[in-house]
Amino acid sequence: MQYEATSPEDYINQVPNERQDTLKKLRKIINDNLPKGFEEGMIYKMIGFYVPHSVYPNGYHCDPKTPLPFMSFASQKNSVNLYHSGIYAKKELHDWFVNEYPKHCKRKLDMGKSCIRFKKMDEIPFELIGELTRKMTCEEWIDIYESAIKNRKK
C-alpha cells in the first residue's frame, strides 16, 4: 500500500494500528545505527534513508533532484518490506546477510534483489537489521554507487 505522508511520523500514523509499534521500532533501530552522512525522510512514498544533496550534490542518476537512496521501508498489504541498496550492490554484504539471517529468525528468508519481506511482525530480526545498517558507511555507498554508474556507461 502507498501512503501520502509528508514525514516519517505521518507515515507511521497512517499505517494500521497493529503495525505502528513495529514500524516505530524499525525506524528507531535504523536511526540508532545509521552511519554519519545519511539522512532520514520520505522518499518514494516510504520512510527512507539517503545521502542528502549537501553530501552528494549529483543526487540519484535517474532523477538528480532526488537524493541518493540507500535504505527504506514500507508497510505493504501482506508484509513490512525493508529495501537496502547495499545488499544489491555489494555481494559480500548480501552473502553476509543471507548467512546471518537464520541465526536470528526461524522463518525462511523472503528476499528479492534489495528487498527483504517480513510477513510476521513479531519475527523481524531487529538486532540483525541494526547490524546491517552499520555495515556500510555513507562514503562507501557513494563509492560503490559511482563505480556502478561508471561501469554502466562503458
Side-chain angles (χ1 to χ4, degrees):
M1 297 183 65
Q2 288 191 351
Y3 299 94
E4 297 297 328
T6 58
S7 69
E9 295 83 5
D10 186 26
Y11 184 95
I12 291 171
N13 287 333
Q14 290 183 37
V15 302
N17 287 340
E18 63 272 9
R19 288 205 181 166
Q20 288 183 8
D21 286 343
T22 299
L23 294 187
K24 287 176 186 175
K25 186 172 180 179
L26 183 57
R27 180 180 178 217
K28 180 172 177 18
I29 200 83
I30 293 171
N31 273 311
D32 287 352
N33 290 280
L34 195 66
K36 184 174 75 66
F38 293 109
E39 282 186 6
E40 177 193 38
M42 295 303 297
I43 191 165
Y44 303 116
K45 298 185 179 191
M46 296 182 278
I47 296 175
F49 305 87
Y50 48 81
V51 182
H53 286 105
S54 60
V55 174
Y56 190 71
N58 293 348
Y60 186 46
H61 73 280
C62 295
D63 178 6
K65 289 180 244 155
T66 301
L68 180 60
F70 177 59
M71 289 179 73
S72 58
F73 65 87
S75 179
Q76 302 294 345
K77 182 179 178 183
N78 296 314
S79 60
V80 167
N81 295 353
L82 175 71
Y83 303 87
H84 192 289
S85 297
I87 281 181
Y88 175 73
K90 186 176 178 185
K91 184 179 178 350
E92 299 86 359
L93 185 60
H94 172 275
D95 292 348
W96 170 85
F97 186 82
V98 169
N99 288 327
E100 286 296 311
Y101 186 84
K103 298 173 188 174
H104 297 265
C105 193
K106 294 175 188 155
R107 189 165 301 277
K108 181 182 175 209
L109 178 60
D110 184 357
M111 183 172 167
K113 289 183 179 180
S114 71
C115 174
I116 306 158
R117 291 172 285 277
F118 301 105
K119 293 182 178 152
K120 300 285 185 187
M121 301 304 106
D122 58 340
E123 294 183 14
I124 295 175
F126 293 103
E127 287 181 28
L128 180 61
I129 293 168
E131 193 173 346
L132 173 64
T133 303
R134 290 190 304 270
K135 288 264 182 199
M136 187 173 284
T137 67
C138 186
E139 294 77 16
E140 182 183 9
W141 173 232
I142 291 169
D143 289 345
I144 289 170
Y145 174 75
E146 286 184 340
S147 177
I149 295 300
K150 286 178 190 171
N151 289 335
R152 289 178 99 198
K153 292 179 181 177
K154 289 182 181 179

